[in-house]
Amino acid sequence: MKRIFPFLLIVASLALLGLPSCSKGGGGGGTTPEENLNITTSPAINGQLEAPGVGPDFPLTVTVNSAMPPQGVRIEVTARPDGSGTAFFTETKTTSAKTTTFQIKNTPAATPCRVTVTVTSVSKPSNTVSGFYLYSRKS
């Protein structure tokens, strides 16, 4: 009997230690907050004026540097004459790719144009970043 008691005590202690690891987790852990979007573009969207190009089509590359949101991002690109309300180019892409390319078409000659890029998380619409640059097509 004296030998059985310590053995039962050890078995009971091990069983009690193992219970928390077998229990179903209750709490709110498991998901991490979505990282704020961080992007780079080529040309850069920092308000600068690009040197006039031959055109009429101009490439644009958007790269998501931050962790990609779970449902991807929506990238909206709009080009219009600077100071005018009428866009001559608009394209929206929803993607999970780190790098997305656009081809801005039909740029009017000898007209300063503004390209606005807005990147928005599909899973968290308040997570957004945008900017613009100016460019023109040689006449």
Side-chain angles (χ1 to χ4, degrees):
M1 184 77 162
K2 289 182 181 180
R3 290 184 182 179
I4 294 176
F5 182 73
F7 177 74
L8 290 176
L9 185 61
I10 291 172
V11 170
S13 297
L14 290 174
L16 287 175
L17 289 174
L19 283 178
S21 65
C22 295
S23 68
K24 184 177 180 181
T31 60
T32 57
E34 187 173 294
E35 186 177 329
N36 287 338
L37 287 172
N38 178 341
I39 66 164
T40 54
T41 64
S42 179
I45 55 169
N46 58 8
Q48 85 284 356
L49 175 62
E50 294 291 308
V54 178
D57 299 340
F58 292 85
L60 168 67
T61 302
V62 179
T63 302
V64 177
N65 301 315
S66 55
M68 183 62 68
Q71 296 175 9
V73 294
R74 185 178 65 251
I75 304 170
E76 300 173 67
V77 176
T78 303
R80 68 186 68 221
D82 194 31
S84 169
T86 305
F88 60 85
F89 176 85
T90 302
E91 187 172 359
T92 301
K93 294 181 181 180
T94 300
T95 183
S96 292
K98 282 285 201 184
T99 301
T100 306
T101 59
F102 294 85
Q103 192 72 11
I104 300 169
K105 299 178 181 287
N106 303 319
T107 301
T111 303
C113 297
R114 177 184 294 250
V115 173
T116 303
V117 178
T118 303
V119 180
T120 305
S121 166
V122 174
S123 53
K124 184 180 175 188
S126 62
N127 188 3
T128 186
V129 63
S130 71
F132 73 94
Y133 66 93
L134 302 169
Y135 77 107
S136 63
R137 175 181 161 194
K138 290 182 181 180
S139 45

mmCIF file of all heavy atoms in Angstrom, residues 24-33:
data_model
loop_
_atom_site.group_PDB
_atom_site.id
_atom_site.type_symbol
_atom_site.label_atom_id
_atom_site.label_comp_id
_atom_site.label_asym_id
_atom_site.label_seq_id
_atom_site.Cartn_x
_atom_site.Cartn_y
_atom_site.Cartn_z
ATOM 1 N N LYS A 24 -9.842 23.092 -24.883
ATOM 2 C CA LYS A 24 -10.082 23.919 -26.058
ATOM 3 C C LYS A 24 -9.835 25.366 -25.651
ATOM 4 O O LYS A 24 -10.398 25.853 -24.694
ATOM 5 C CB LYS A 24 -11.520 23.721 -26.544
ATOM 6 C CG LYS A 24 -11.818 24.460 -27.817
ATOM 7 C CD LYS A 24 -13.211 24.160 -28.287
ATOM 8 C CE LYS A 24 -13.491 24.909 -29.573
ATOM 9 N NZ LYS A 24 -14.844 24.661 -30.056
ATOM 10 N N GLY A 25 -9.007 26.066 -26.432
ATOM 11 C CA GLY A 25 -8.681 27.454 -26.105
ATOM 12 C C GLY A 25 -9.910 28.334 -26.148
ATOM 13 O O GLY A 25 -10.732 28.239 -27.028
ATOM 14 N N GLY A 26 -10.039 29.209 -25.281
ATOM 15 C CA GLY A 26 -11.168 30.095 -25.223
ATOM 16 C C GLY A 26 -10.781 31.498 -25.598
ATOM 17 O O GLY A 26 -10.431 31.865 -26.180
ATOM 18 N N GLY A 27 -10.400 32.335 -25.501
ATOM 19 C CA GLY A 27 -9.904 33.641 -25.713
ATOM 20 C C GLY A 27 -9.875 34.119 -27.164
ATOM 21 O O GLY A 27 -10.235 33.432 -28.067
ATOM 22 N N GLY A 28 -9.420 35.293 -27.347
ATOM 23 C CA GLY A 28 -9.466 35.893 -28.668
ATOM 24 C C GLY A 28 -8.172 35.775 -29.444
ATOM 25 O O GLY A 28 -8.029 36.414 -30.454
ATOM 26 N N GLY A 29 -7.229 34.971 -28.991
ATOM 27 C CA GLY A 29 -5.971 34.864 -29.717
ATOM 28 C C GLY A 29 -6.150 34.185 -31.059
ATOM 29 O O GLY A 29 -7.216 33.767 -31.457
ATOM 30 N N GLY A 30 -5.076 34.097 -31.804
ATOM 31 C CA GLY A 30 -5.119 33.357 -33.055
ATOM 32 C C GLY A 30 -4.997 34.242 -34.281
ATOM 33 O O GLY A 30 -4.328 33.876 -35.216
ATOM 34 N N THR A 31 -5.633 35.382 -34.318
ATOM 35 C CA THR A 31 -5.520 36.243 -35.483
ATOM 36 C C THR A 31 -4.697 37.462 -35.111
ATOM 37 O O THR A 31 -4.848 38.033 -34.046
ATOM 38 C CB THR A 31 -6.901 36.701 -35.996
ATOM 39 O OG1 THR A 31 -7.561 37.419 -34.962
ATOM 40 C CG2 THR A 31 -7.752 35.521 -36.418
ATOM 41 N N THR A 32 -3.816 37.834 -36.011
ATOM 42 C CA THR A 32 -3.014 39.023 -35.782
ATOM 43 C C THR A 32 -3.638 40.187 -36.539
ATOM 44 O O THR A 32 -4.258 39.988 -37.583
ATOM 45 C CB THR A 32 -1.564 38.810 -36.269
ATOM 46 O OG1 THR A 32 -1.606 38.451 -37.649
ATOM 47 C CG2 THR A 32 -0.872 37.714 -35.483
ATOM 48 N N PRO A 33 -3.495 41.385 -36.029
ATOM 49 C CA PRO A 33 -4.071 42.536 -36.731
ATOM 50 C C PRO A 33 -3.412 42.711 -38.101
ATOM 51 O O PRO A 33 -2.247 42.388 -38.286
ATOM 52 C CB PRO A 33 -3.771 43.728 -35.833
ATOM 53 C CG PRO A 33 -2.961 43.231 -34.702
ATOM 54 C CD PRO A 33 -2.824 41.758 -34.817
#
